[in-house]
Amino acid sequence: MRFDILTLFPEMFSSPFQESILAKAIEKGLIEVRTINIRDFALDKHQVVDDAPYGGGQGMVMKVEPIARAIEQVKMENPSAWTVYLTPEGKPLNQEIIKELSSRSHLILLCGRYEGVDERVRQLFVDEEISIGDYVLTGGELAAMVLIDTVSRLVPGVLGSDKSAEEDSFFGSLLEYPQYTRPASFRNHEVPEVLLSGNHQAISLWRREESLRRTWLRRPELLNKASLSEEDKKILEEIIQNKS
Ligand code: ADE
């Protein structure tokens, strides 16, 4: 899977992909991350990439020509690359969208700065607009990193086993159950007995119950779209009745 990041600040991307899982994925050739400096595509000798908004108002707007030329260069290599503009006005990112994006082989990620991009960039060159949450970042760069991280971990081979991604919170629309590791006792806080029992069936049941409990307590709205078995529904009823 390939990511081309269009940004005015390529240096921001130097360290996030040099550590841990993503660094290994790049080394193995499972993902490829390239940064493209939009400024290199400016038309004038001062390499101007922004200008005052028509109609007046605060701030600067990113000009259409440098962005158009940068996207067109990538598209010349691969016409089917999918262009995503990171903006708080985009669709809120969730695991479903991440899964869809992970099925594409080449994403162009456009990072805005200032007061955003000239509207014609969006009309002519952008396939999809994505927001990572209802707050405003100083630019799209951090959002692009979030997107690359979340999409990459769904690329086959990037995580240790494909199973780890399937067990994630949100895959089945439930939050994850609590996890413990050694020691079994820490400052009088014990690991739940059942996890030490070796009884795999009992452990599975306990985990399902804890997932349901946690989801109900923290994110009850997720239960509406979760796929629940008849047994899940019974467990949930008990949890709700006991209110814990
Ligand atoms: N750029 C600025 N804020 C953003 C957000 N919340 N999501 C995506 N891109 C952004």
Side-chain angles (χ1 to χ4, degrees):
M1 169 125 201
R2 176 161 157 195
F3 301 93
D4 280 297
I5 307 159
L6 270 56
T7 172
L8 290 174
F9 300 96
E11 289 296 311
M12 283 181 75
F13 293 88
S14 56
S15 72
F17 306 117
Q18 282 172 17
E19 303 288 344
S20 186
I21 291 173
L22 294 189
K24 285 204 191 87
I26 290 171
E27 203 180 290
K28 284 191 207 159
L30 297 171
I31 61 169
E32 192 183 338
V33 182
R34 260 193 356 177
T35 53
I36 294 170
N37 192 338
I38 296 168
R39 201 172 292 283
D40 293 342
F41 293 85
L43 294 166
D44 63 314
K45 73 170 190 246
H46 298 295
Q47 295 192 295
V48 173
V49 289
D50 60 346
D51 206 340
Y54 274 119
Q58 293 249 313
M60 299 289 267
V61 176
M62 286 173 73
K63 289 164 71 64
V64 61
E65 302 98 320
I67 297 174
R69 294 173 71 216
I71 292 177
E72 278 166 352
Q73 173 172 298
V74 180
K75 288 256 190 175
M76 234 153 47
E77 285 173 51
N78 180 8
S80 67
W82 185 254
T83 305
V84 175
Y85 173 43
L86 286 313
T87 165
E89 289 134 38
K91 263 189 291 182
L93 187 61
N94 60 30
Q95 198 65 29
E96 218 172 287
I97 296 175
I98 290 163
K99 200 169 175 189
E100 270 168 34
L101 290 172
S102 74
S103 69
R104 299 191 180 275
S105 59
H106 189 174
L107 297 180
I108 299 172
L109 304 178
L110 173 61
C111 305
R113 284 265 153 181
Y114 317 119
E115 296 302 313
V117 295
D118 186 303
E119 189 63 19
R120 290 162 293 186
V121 171
R122 299 161 104 154
Q123 290 168 349
L124 299 173
F125 300 101
V126 170
D127 297 308
E128 191 170 2
E129 299 192 8
I130 289 180
S131 160
I132 64 160
D134 289 340
Y135 40 78
V136 183
L137 301 161
T138 52
E141 283 77 8
L142 286 170
M145 286 175 208
V146 167
L147 194 143
I148 293 171
D149 188 283
T150 52
V151 169
S152 295
R153 58 195 293 292
L154 300 190
V155 172
V158 169
L159 293 183
S161 69
D162 293 340
K163 223 171 169 277
S164 347
E166 272 160 34
E167 279 181 8
D168 279 347
S169 290
F170 297 108
F171 246 93
S173 296
L174 290 184
L175 301 187
E176 277 193 86
Y177 49 80
Q179 294 276 24
Y180 296 87
T181 186
R182 278 180 287 199
S185 176
F186 176 71
R187 299 181 186 171
N188 288 330
H189 287 256
E190 318 297 330
V191 171
E193 274 300 315
V194 63
L195 297 180
L196 312 175
S197 70
N199 180 342
H200 296 295
Q201 212 183 335
I203 292 171
S204 287
L205 183 62
W206 181 86
R207 287 180 164 167
R208 189 74 186 166
E209 226 178 281
E210 292 305 313
S211 264
L212 288 162
R213 187 189 322 283
R214 191 162 265 191
T215 310
W216 181 68
L217 289 172
R218 297 184 182 190
R219 300 287 308 276
E221 79 283 5
L222 292 178
L223 291 168
N224 297 331
K225 57 173 183 165
S227 44
L228 300 180
S229 67
E230 285 309 308
E231 190 177 2
D232 288 335
K233 288 179 192 162
K234 260 195 237 151
I235 297 172
L236 198 56
E237 259 172 48
E238 271 176 42
I239 293 171
I240 294 170
Q241 263 161 24
N242 295 336
K243 294 211 169 22
S244 59

mmCIF file of all heavy atoms in Angstrom, residues 164-198:
data_model
loop_
_atom_site.group_PDB
_atom_site.id
_atom_site.type_symbol
_atom_site.label_atom_id
_atom_site.label_comp_id
_atom_site.label_asym_id
_atom_site.label_seq_id
_atom_site.Cartn_x
_atom_site.Cartn_y
_atom_site.Cartn_z
ATOM 1 N N SER A 164 -5.147 -10.150 15.210
ATOM 2 C CA SER A 164 -5.105 -9.042 16.175
ATOM 3 C C SER A 164 -5.995 -7.895 15.745
ATOM 4 O O SER A 164 -6.610 -7.256 16.567
ATOM 5 C CB SER A 164 -3.696 -8.512 16.388
ATOM 6 O OG SER A 164 -2.732 -9.338 15.875
ATOM 7 N N ALA A 165 -6.062 -7.613 14.438
ATOM 8 C CA ALA A 165 -6.912 -6.514 13.977
ATOM 9 C C ALA A 165 -8.377 -6.877 14.136
ATOM 10 O O ALA A 165 -9.190 -6.042 14.489
ATOM 11 C CB ALA A 165 -6.611 -6.180 12.519
ATOM 12 N N GLU A 166 -8.694 -8.156 13.901
ATOM 13 C CA GLU A 166 -10.095 -8.562 14.007
ATOM 14 C C GLU A 166 -10.615 -8.498 15.431
ATOM 15 O O GLU A 166 -11.805 -8.350 15.669
ATOM 16 C CB GLU A 166 -10.280 -9.980 13.472
ATOM 17 C CG GLU A 166 -10.557 -9.973 11.988
ATOM 18 C CD GLU A 166 -10.269 -11.313 11.362
ATOM 19 O OE1 GLU A 166 -10.494 -12.335 12.033
ATOM 20 O OE2 GLU A 166 -9.807 -11.321 10.219
ATOM 21 N N GLU A 167 -9.699 -8.647 16.399
ATOM 22 C CA GLU A 167 -10.139 -8.621 17.801
ATOM 23 C C GLU A 167 -10.243 -7.213 18.355
ATOM 24 O O GLU A 167 -10.651 -7.000 19.484
ATOM 25 C CB GLU A 167 -9.182 -9.452 18.659
ATOM 26 C CG GLU A 167 -9.508 -10.925 18.560
ATOM 27 C CD GLU A 167 -8.591 -11.780 19.408
ATOM 28 O OE1 GLU A 167 -7.799 -11.225 20.186
ATOM 29 O OE2 GLU A 167 -8.671 -12.995 19.275
ATOM 30 N N ASP A 168 -9.846 -6.218 17.564
ATOM 31 C CA ASP A 168 -9.875 -4.829 18.021
ATOM 32 C C ASP A 168 -11.232 -4.393 18.508
ATOM 33 O O ASP A 168 -12.243 -4.856 18.025
ATOM 34 C CB ASP A 168 -9.604 -3.879 16.848
ATOM 35 C CG ASP A 168 -8.151 -3.776 16.552
ATOM 36 O OD1 ASP A 168 -7.368 -4.222 17.382
ATOM 37 O OD2 ASP A 168 -7.822 -3.238 15.492
ATOM 38 N N SER A 169 -11.203 -3.399 19.392
ATOM 39 C CA SER A 169 -12.424 -2.668 19.697
ATOM 40 C C SER A 169 -12.953 -2.158 18.366
ATOM 41 O O SER A 169 -12.171 -1.850 17.477
ATOM 42 C CB SER A 169 -12.108 -1.444 20.543
ATOM 43 O OG SER A 169 -11.716 -1.800 21.826
ATOM 44 N N PHE A 170 -14.246 -2.059 18.240
ATOM 45 C CA PHE A 170 -14.932 -1.487 17.091
ATOM 46 C C PHE A 170 -15.083 -2.446 15.932
ATOM 47 O O PHE A 170 -15.908 -2.235 15.081
ATOM 48 C CB PHE A 170 -14.283 -0.184 16.597
ATOM 49 C CG PHE A 170 -14.346 0.885 17.625
ATOM 50 C CD1 PHE A 170 -13.216 1.287 18.302
ATOM 51 C CD2 PHE A 170 -15.560 1.452 17.959
ATOM 52 C CE1 PHE A 170 -13.293 2.261 19.285
ATOM 53 C CE2 PHE A 170 -15.646 2.433 18.932
ATOM 54 C CZ PHE A 170 -14.501 2.836 19.594
ATOM 55 N N PHE A 171 -14.293 -3.531 15.870
ATOM 56 C CA PHE A 171 -14.488 -4.429 14.739
ATOM 57 C C PHE A 171 -15.842 -5.079 14.814
ATOM 58 O O PHE A 171 -16.598 -5.104 13.879
ATOM 59 C CB PHE A 171 -13.366 -5.462 14.626
ATOM 60 C CG PHE A 171 -12.597 -5.224 13.387
ATOM 61 C CD1 PHE A 171 -11.475 -4.436 13.390
ATOM 62 C CD2 PHE A 171 -13.055 -5.735 12.192
ATOM 63 C CE1 PHE A 171 -10.802 -4.170 12.226
ATOM 64 C CE2 PHE A 171 -12.389 -5.475 11.014
ATOM 65 C CZ PHE A 171 -11.251 -4.684 11.037
ATOM 66 N N GLY A 172 -16.166 -5.589 16.015
ATOM 67 C CA GLY A 172 -17.516 -6.132 16.190
ATOM 68 C C GLY A 172 -18.390 -5.126 16.903
ATOM 69 O O GLY A 172 -19.417 -5.459 17.454
ATOM 70 N N SER A 173 -17.945 -3.859 16.935
ATOM 71 C CA SER A 173 -18.665 -2.762 17.591
ATOM 72 C C SER A 173 -18.755 -2.878 19.102
ATOM 73 O O SER A 173 -19.621 -2.278 19.714
ATOM 74 C CB SER A 173 -20.059 -2.574 17.004
ATOM 75 O OG SER A 173 -19.939 -2.185 15.678
ATOM 76 N N LEU A 174 -17.909 -3.676 19.726
ATOM 77 C CA LEU A 174 -17.851 -3.704 21.195
ATOM 78 C C LEU A 174 -16.462 -3.232 21.636
ATOM 79 O O LEU A 174 -15.483 -3.406 20.912
ATOM 80 C CB LEU A 174 -18.040 -5.134 21.722
ATOM 81 C CG LEU A 174 -19.414 -5.774 21.593
ATOM 82 C CD1 LEU A 174 -19.403 -7.144 22.261
ATOM 83 C CD2 LEU A 174 -20.498 -4.906 22.202
ATOM 84 N N LEU A 175 -16.381 -2.634 22.812
ATOM 85 C CA LEU A 175 -15.070 -2.275 23.355
ATOM 86 C C LEU A 175 -14.361 -3.537 23.836
ATOM 87 O O LEU A 175 -14.995 -4.558 24.084
ATOM 88 C CB LEU A 175 -15.223 -1.290 24.522
ATOM 89 C CG LEU A 175 -15.924 0.028 24.203
ATOM 90 C CD1 LEU A 175 -15.841 0.961 25.417
ATOM 91 C CD2 LEU A 175 -15.306 0.716 22.991
ATOM 92 N N GLU A 176 -13.047 -3.446 23.994
ATOM 93 C CA GLU A 176 -12.286 -4.628 24.406
ATOM 94 C C GLU A 176 -12.410 -4.919 25.891
ATOM 95 O O GLU A 176 -12.622 -4.015 26.690
ATOM 96 C CB GLU A 176 -10.822 -4.447 24.034
ATOM 97 C CG GLU A 176 -10.569 -4.820 22.595
ATOM 98 C CD GLU A 176 -9.093 -4.955 22.315
ATOM 99 O OE1 GLU A 176 -8.536 -6.055 22.546
ATOM 100 O OE2 GLU A 176 -8.500 -3.956 21.898
ATOM 101 N N TYR A 177 -12.225 -6.187 26.237
ATOM 102 C CA TYR A 177 -12.228 -6.626 27.640
ATOM 103 C C TYR A 177 -10.904 -6.221 28.304
ATOM 104 O O TYR A 177 -9.930 -5.950 27.621
ATOM 105 C CB TYR A 177 -12.414 -8.154 27.708
ATOM 106 C CG TYR A 177 -11.491 -8.925 26.789
ATOM 107 C CD1 TYR A 177 -10.166 -9.164 27.145
ATOM 108 C CD2 TYR A 177 -11.942 -9.400 25.551
ATOM 109 C CE1 TYR A 177 -9.310 -9.856 26.303
ATOM 110 C CE2 TYR A 177 -11.096 -10.093 24.701
ATOM 111 C CZ TYR A 177 -9.777 -10.315 25.087
ATOM 112 O OH TYR A 177 -8.937 -10.985 24.253
ATOM 113 N N PRO A 178 -10.873 -6.176 29.648
ATOM 114 C CA PRO A 178 -9.640 -5.815 30.348
ATOM 115 C C PRO A 178 -8.556 -6.887 30.171
ATOM 116 O O PRO A 178 -8.873 -8.075 30.075
ATOM 117 C CB PRO A 178 -10.056 -5.754 31.826
ATOM 118 C CG PRO A 178 -11.537 -5.787 31.850
ATOM 119 C CD PRO A 178 -11.991 -6.425 30.587
ATOM 120 N N GLN A 179 -7.321 -6.440 30.117
ATOM 121 C CA GLN A 179 -6.187 -7.353 29.976
ATOM 122 C C GLN A 179 -5.295 -7.261 31.209
ATOM 123 O O GLN A 179 -5.173 -6.188 31.804
ATOM 124 C CB GLN A 179 -5.333 -6.932 28.762
ATOM 125 C CG GLN A 179 -6.023 -7.084 27.436
ATOM 126 C CD GLN A 179 -5.924 -8.482 26.863
ATOM 127 O OE1 GLN A 179 -5.727 -9.456 27.613
ATOM 128 N NE2 GLN A 179 -6.059 -8.602 25.559
ATOM 129 N N TYR A 180 -4.651 -8.363 31.567
ATOM 130 C CA TYR A 180 -3.708 -8.397 32.693
ATOM 131 C C TYR A 180 -2.474 -9.196 32.293
ATOM 132 O O TYR A 180 -2.566 -10.086 31.461
ATOM 133 C CB TYR A 180 -4.336 -9.113 33.900
ATOM 134 C CG TYR A 180 -5.548 -8.419 34.482
ATOM 135 C CD1 TYR A 180 -6.822 -8.670 33.962
ATOM 136 C CD2 TYR A 180 -5.421 -7.533 35.546
ATOM 137 C CE1 TYR A 180 -7.945 -8.045 34.499
ATOM 138 C CE2 TYR A 180 -6.544 -6.906 36.088
ATOM 139 C CZ TYR A 180 -7.794 -7.164 35.565
ATOM 140 O OH TYR A 180 -8.896 -6.555 36.091
ATOM 141 N N THR A 181 -1.347 -8.865 32.925
ATOM 142 C CA THR A 181 -0.187 -9.737 32.806
ATOM 143 C C THR A 181 0.473 -9.822 34.181
ATOM 144 O O THR A 181 -0.009 -9.233 35.143
ATOM 145 C CB THR A 181 0.793 -9.240 31.713
ATOM 146 O OG1 THR A 181 1.830 -10.218 31.561
ATOM 147 C CG2 THR A 181 1.404 -7.880 32.068
ATOM 148 N N ARG A 182 1.568 -10.581 34.310
ATOM 149 C CA ARG A 182 2.183 -10.771 35.622
ATOM 150 C C ARG A 182 2.649 -9.450 36.242
ATOM 151 O O ARG A 182 3.039 -8.549 35.483
ATOM 152 C CB ARG A 182 3.357 -11.742 35.492
ATOM 153 C CG ARG A 182 2.826 -13.180 35.498
ATOM 154 C CD ARG A 182 3.917 -14.170 35.374
ATOM 155 N NE ARG A 182 4.442 -14.180 33.998
ATOM 156 C CZ ARG A 182 5.149 -15.192 33.490
ATOM 157 N NH1 ARG A 182 5.437 -16.247 34.216
ATOM 158 N NH2 ARG A 182 5.581 -15.135 32.260
ATOM 159 N N PRO A 183 2.620 -9.294 37.538
ATOM 160 C CA PRO A 183 2.302 -10.284 38.578
ATOM 161 C C PRO A 183 0.786 -10.478 38.786
ATOM 162 O O PRO A 183 0.007 -9.599 38.436
ATOM 163 C CB PRO A 183 2.904 -9.649 39.843
ATOM 164 C CG PRO A 183 2.781 -8.182 39.599
ATOM 165 C CD PRO A 183 2.988 -7.985 38.123
ATOM 166 N N ALA A 184 0.431 -11.621 39.386
ATOM 167 C CA ALA A 184 -0.983 -11.924 39.628
ATOM 168 C C ALA A 184 -1.560 -11.024 40.712
ATOM 169 O O ALA A 184 -2.761 -10.789 40.758
ATOM 170 C CB ALA A 184 -1.141 -13.390 40.011
ATOM 171 N N SER A 185 -0.675 -10.520 41.608
ATOM 172 C CA SER A 185 -1.150 -9.615 42.649
ATOM 173 C C SER A 185 -0.261 -8.372 42.665
ATOM 174 O O SER A 185 0.966 -8.493 42.684
ATOM 175 C CB SER A 185 -1.072 -10.340 44.001
ATOM 176 O OG SER A 185 -1.439 -9.436 45.020
ATOM 177 N N PHE A 186 -0.869 -7.185 42.634
ATOM 178 C CA PHE A 186 -0.115 -5.935 42.692
ATOM 179 C C PHE A 186 -0.807 -4.986 43.664
ATOM 180 O O PHE A 186 -1.954 -4.593 43.437
ATOM 181 C CB PHE A 186 -0.029 -5.301 41.300
ATOM 182 C CG PHE A 186 0.658 -3.961 41.284
ATOM 183 C CD1 PHE A 186 2.034 -3.861 41.480
ATOM 184 C CD2 PHE A 186 -0.071 -2.803 41.093
ATOM 185 C CE1 PHE A 186 2.673 -2.640 41.476
ATOM 186 C CE2 PHE A 186 0.561 -1.559 41.086
ATOM 187 C CZ PHE A 186 1.942 -1.478 41.288
ATOM 188 N N ARG A 187 -0.130 -4.693 44.790
ATOM 189 C CA ARG A 187 -0.687 -3.798 45.826
ATOM 190 C C ARG A 187 -2.140 -4.148 46.175
ATOM 191 O O ARG A 187 -3.034 -3.309 46.122
ATOM 192 C CB ARG A 187 -0.574 -2.346 45.376
ATOM 193 C CG ARG A 187 0.873 -1.941 45.165
ATOM 194 C CD ARG A 187 1.048 -0.515 44.753
ATOM 195 N NE ARG A 187 2.456 -0.277 44.445
ATOM 196 C CZ ARG A 187 2.934 0.821 43.889
ATOM 197 N NH1 ARG A 187 2.122 1.799 43.550
ATOM 198 N NH2 ARG A 187 4.219 0.943 43.649
ATOM 199 N N ASN A 188 -2.313 -5.432 46.455
ATOM 200 C CA ASN A 188 -3.634 -5.945 46.844
ATOM 201 C C ASN A 188 -4.680 -5.914 45.734
ATOM 202 O O ASN A 188 -5.858 -6.090 45.995
ATOM 203 C CB ASN A 188 -4.196 -5.228 48.079
ATOM 204 C CG ASN A 188 -3.445 -5.633 49.312
ATOM 205 O OD1 ASN A 188 -2.933 -6.762 49.389
ATOM 206 N ND2 ASN A 188 -3.340 -4.720 50.266
ATOM 207 N N HIS A 189 -4.270 -5.667 44.525
ATOM 208 C CA HIS A 189 -5.200 -5.745 43.394
ATOM 209 C C HIS A 189 -4.884 -7.027 42.629
ATOM 210 O O HIS A 189 -3.792 -7.171 42.072
ATOM 211 C CB HIS A 189 -5.071 -4.511 42.491
ATOM 212 C CG HIS A 189 -5.662 -3.291 43.100
ATOM 213 N ND1 HIS A 189 -6.869 -2.767 42.705
ATOM 214 C CD2 HIS A 189 -5.224 -2.520 44.124
ATOM 215 C CE1 HIS A 189 -7.141 -1.708 43.452
ATOM 216 N NE2 HIS A 189 -6.150 -1.535 44.309
ATOM 217 N N GLU A 190 -5.873 -7.935 42.653
ATOM 218 C CA GLU A 190 -5.636 -9.272 42.104
ATOM 219 C C GLU A 190 -6.141 -9.382 40.668
ATOM 220 O O GLU A 190 -7.132 -8.745 40.306
ATOM 221 C CB GLU A 190 -6.373 -10.336 42.945
ATOM 222 C CG GLU A 190 -6.296 -10.145 44.446
ATOM 223 C CD GLU A 190 -4.866 -10.240 44.979
ATOM 224 O OE1 GLU A 190 -4.066 -10.979 44.374
ATOM 225 O OE2 GLU A 190 -4.547 -9.555 45.972
ATOM 226 N N VAL A 191 -5.472 -10.237 39.904
ATOM 227 C CA VAL A 191 -5.983 -10.577 38.577
ATOM 228 C C VAL A 191 -7.222 -11.456 38.778
ATOM 229 O O VAL A 191 -7.210 -12.322 39.665
ATOM 230 C CB VAL A 191 -4.896 -11.355 37.790
ATOM 231 C CG1 VAL A 191 -5.456 -11.921 36.493
ATOM 232 C CG2 VAL A 191 -3.698 -10.459 37.514
ATOM 233 N N PRO A 192 -8.296 -11.253 38.017
ATOM 234 C CA PRO A 192 -9.492 -12.100 38.193
ATOM 235 C C PRO A 192 -9.143 -13.593 38.108
ATOM 236 O O PRO A 192 -8.437 -14.010 37.188
ATOM 237 C CB PRO A 192 -10.394 -11.667 37.032
ATOM 238 C CG PRO A 192 -9.978 -10.265 36.741
ATOM 239 C CD PRO A 192 -8.494 -10.214 37.007
ATOM 240 N N GLU A 193 -9.617 -14.350 39.110
ATOM 241 C CA GLU A 193 -9.383 -15.800 39.239
ATOM 242 C C GLU A 193 -9.483 -16.539 37.913
ATOM 243 O O GLU A 193 -8.637 -17.350 37.580
ATOM 244 C CB GLU A 193 -10.474 -16.422 40.134
ATOM 245 C CG GLU A 193 -10.323 -16.451 41.631
ATOM 246 C CD GLU A 193 -9.100 -17.227 42.112
ATOM 247 O OE1 GLU A 193 -8.798 -18.355 41.635
ATOM 248 O OE2 GLU A 193 -8.471 -16.654 42.997
ATOM 249 N N VAL A 194 -10.576 -16.249 37.208
ATOM 250 C CA VAL A 194 -10.892 -17.035 36.015
ATOM 251 C C VAL A 194 -9.739 -17.022 35.003
ATOM 252 O O VAL A 194 -9.478 -18.022 34.331
ATOM 253 C CB VAL A 194 -12.215 -16.542 35.367
ATOM 254 C CG1 VAL A 194 -12.112 -15.118 34.876
ATOM 255 C CG2 VAL A 194 -12.656 -17.452 34.233
ATOM 256 N N LEU A 195 -8.991 -15.928 34.944
ATOM 257 C CA LEU A 195 -7.910 -15.832 33.954
ATOM 258 C C LEU A 195 -6.731 -16.742 34.315
ATOM 259 O O LEU A 195 -5.889 -17.038 33.473
ATOM 260 C CB LEU A 195 -7.433 -14.378 33.824
ATOM 261 C CG LEU A 195 -8.484 -13.386 33.318
ATOM 262 C CD1 LEU A 195 -7.900 -11.983 33.236
ATOM 263 C CD2 LEU A 195 -9.017 -13.807 31.942
ATOM 264 N N LEU A 196 -6.686 -17.170 35.581
ATOM 265 C CA LEU A 196 -5.605 -18.061 36.020
ATOM 266 C C LEU A 196 -6.050 -19.513 35.979
ATOM 267 O O LEU A 196 -5.278 -20.414 36.253
ATOM 268 C CB LEU A 196 -5.177 -17.715 37.455
ATOM 269 C CG LEU A 196 -4.919 -16.234 37.765
ATOM 270 C CD1 LEU A 196 -4.616 -16.034 39.251
ATOM 271 C CD2 LEU A 196 -3.754 -15.720 36.929
ATOM 272 N N SER A 197 -7.333 -19.743 35.615
ATOM 273 C CA SER A 197 -7.925 -21.075 35.758
ATOM 274 C C SER A 197 -7.504 -22.062 34.670
ATOM 275 O O SER A 197 -7.579 -23.259 34.868
ATOM 276 C CB SER A 197 -9.457 -20.960 35.733
ATOM 277 O OG SER A 197 -9.871 -20.596 34.411
ATOM 278 N N GLY A 198 -7.099 -21.551 33.535
ATOM 279 C CA GLY A 198 -6.779 -22.449 32.416
ATOM 280 C C GLY A 198 -8.025 -22.966 31.720
ATOM 281 O O GLY A 198 -7.934 -23.724 30.756
#
